[in-house]
Amino acid sequence: MVFLFEKTGDKSLMFGLNKLIPSESKFAFMDYRKIFILISIFLMIVSTSLLTFRGLNLGIDFTGGTLIEISTNNSNIAELRSILSSKFDDVSLQEFGNSKTIIIRLQNISNTESIETINKVKELISNKVNEFRRSEFVGPTISSELLFKGLQAISFALLAILIYIWLRFEWQFGFGAVVALAHDVIFTLGVLSLFKIDFSLSSIAAILTIAGYSINDSVVIFDRIRENLRKYKKLELPDLFNISINNTLSRTIMTSITTLLALSCLFIFGGEVIKPFAFAMIIGVIIGTYSSIFIAVPTLLIFKFRPQEEDN
């Protein structure tokens, strides 16, 4: 289907295939910046509270121990927990994906996999399980190192992004980009905490990918702002920012939609192992698109900057 648009000014006709947003939209985003900033502050408070008091549901990668995935037609977690708790000091069970799949986590104190532990679990609950699907083991030393390296990777990535934006544009843009990135990361972690999604090495990969996606979106808008700062030297900054966002809005929305379509397919058809990664990415793409418009750009208004007047 082909949509027909009339271009303002020269009245020329522009054809676009499935064009969802006119290339010359005139949405006044900056008029609502205070409302969205207040909403974001509220979300940050909620997310920080969740992370502080509820914490992340750390996967076996970061806690260490043995993970066993089982399948059962009549999953009674309370009964299985009662059986295993009588033999093991630290055991947790949770449904995974559907009510027929259960994840069993056992904390180990040694650095070597205990085949006896796995065999003992199978012996205790074999009459209540249809299938033992998989078992994994991570030692406590390795898990602590993985957690530290993961947090280190996120910190270095954010620092590198700040330096890149500072060198590519100006330090004010770098500040706005990092504020938006921190907003995206904290919100995504808060959602993972709220829904008790497993936080594993794939989640670290998702966070780093979200940071890259968000900064890419912000850089496109920042680049147009820089061009318009030279072009409209007398225009008020809120109006100039509105023009810049509208100039790139079609690209931003279409990129986000196509990315979400791919991630939705991964989430629905990718299997249980990939679901935490796909879920984190879906949340990150949505909040990253939002923050590049309503957080990164409004933050620039704090500085009231203008480029130096060029000599005529």
Side-chain angles (χ1 to χ4, degrees), residues 39-256:
I39 292 174
S40 294
I41 291 174
F42 172 76
L43 293 176
M44 290 302 96
I45 293 174
V46 172
S47 298
T48 303
S49 299
L50 285 169
L51 292 171
T52 301
F53 298 105
R54 188 169 183 172
L56 291 168
N57 184 27
L58 296 178
I60 198 74
D61 294 335
F62 299 137
T63 58
T66 302
L67 179 148
I68 303 173
E69 180 180 340
I70 64 174
S71 175
T72 176
N73 287 331
N74 184 20
S75 62
N76 188 335
I77 290 183
E79 182 181 2
L80 293 175
R81 182 179 292 110
S82 176
I83 294 173
L84 295 174
S85 296
S86 63
K87 300 296 182 179
F88 299 97
D89 294 332
D90 192 352
V91 58
S92 65
L93 292 85
Q94 71 177 98
E95 292 181 351
F96 184 64
N98 56 65
S99 60
K100 296 181 180 181
T101 303
I102 296 177
I103 294 293
I104 302 171
R105 287 186 176 86
L106 302 167
Q107 298 299 314
N108 293 351
I109 59 175
S110 65
N111 287 329
T112 58
E113 182 173 4
S114 175
I115 301 299
E116 292 78 8
T117 299
I118 297 174
N119 291 336
K120 189 173 183 179
V121 170
K122 292 181 177 179
E123 180 182 347
L124 289 171
I125 61 175
S126 59
N127 60 333
K128 300 182 182 299
V129 175
N130 289 338
E131 179 186 4
F132 286 89
R133 292 184 173 177
R134 64 186 172 105
S135 62
E136 298 176 5
F137 174 81
V138 177
T141 301
I142 299 299
S143 64
S144 299
E145 183 178 351
L146 288 175
L147 180 59
F148 173 75
K149 293 293 186 182
L151 296 176
Q152 191 179 55
I154 294 176
S155 300
F156 285 162
L158 295 179
L159 178 61
I161 288 171
L162 171 61
I163 295 173
Y164 167 75
I165 297 297
W166 191 341
L167 296 176
R168 181 70 173 79
F169 298 94
E170 298 177 29
W171 70 269
Q172 295 96 331
F173 289 94
F175 178 82
V178 169
V179 169
L181 283 177
H183 171 273
D184 298 344
V185 171
I186 293 173
F187 180 83
T188 303
L189 292 177
V191 173
L192 295 180
S193 175
L194 177 64
F195 292 101
K196 302 298 289 183
I197 304 296
D198 274 357
F199 188 79
S200 60
L201 288 175
S202 63
S203 301
I204 295 289
I207 294 297
L208 293 174
T209 307
I210 289 167
Y213 181 91
S214 177
I215 200 63
N216 177 69
D217 224 9
S218 298
V219 164
V220 171
I221 300 176
F222 285 170
D223 194 55
R224 187 55 58 92
I225 288 175
R226 185 173 59 176
E227 292 177 6
N228 288 335
L229 280 169
R230 299 189 182 101
K231 185 177 179 180
Y232 304 105
K233 296 183 178 180
K234 303 299 181 182
L235 194 63
E236 293 292 329
L237 285 179
D239 296 329
L240 186 144
F241 291 166
N242 280 331
I243 292 174
S244 302
I245 295 173
N246 280 286
N247 288 161
T248 58
L249 187 60
S250 179
R251 179 263 180 203
T252 298
I253 297 300
M254 293 306 296
T255 301
S256 298

Side-chain angles (χ1 to χ4, degrees), residues 1 3 5 14-23 250 254:
M1 181 177 180
F3 292 89
F5 293 95
M14 178 178 66
F15 293 87
L17 179 62
N18 292 331
K19 202 170 186 64
L20 300 180
I21 299 176
S23 60
S250 179
M254 293 306 296

Side-chain angles (χ1 to χ4, degrees), residues 241-293:
F241 291 166
N242 280 331
I243 292 174
S244 302
I245 295 173
N246 280 286
N247 288 161
T248 58
L249 187 60
S250 179
R251 179 263 180 203
T252 298
I253 297 300
M254 293 306 296
T255 301
S256 298
I257 289 175
T258 53
T259 305
L260 287 173
L261 287 174
L263 291 172
S264 298
C265 291
L266 276 178
F267 183 78
I268 296 171
F269 305 111
E272 297 298 332
V273 175
I274 201 67
K275 273 190 175 181
F277 172 83
F279 180 79
M281 282 296 302
I282 289 171
I283 299 300
V285 168
I286 294 173
I287 199 65
T289 303
Y290 162 87
S291 68
S292 64
I293 296 174

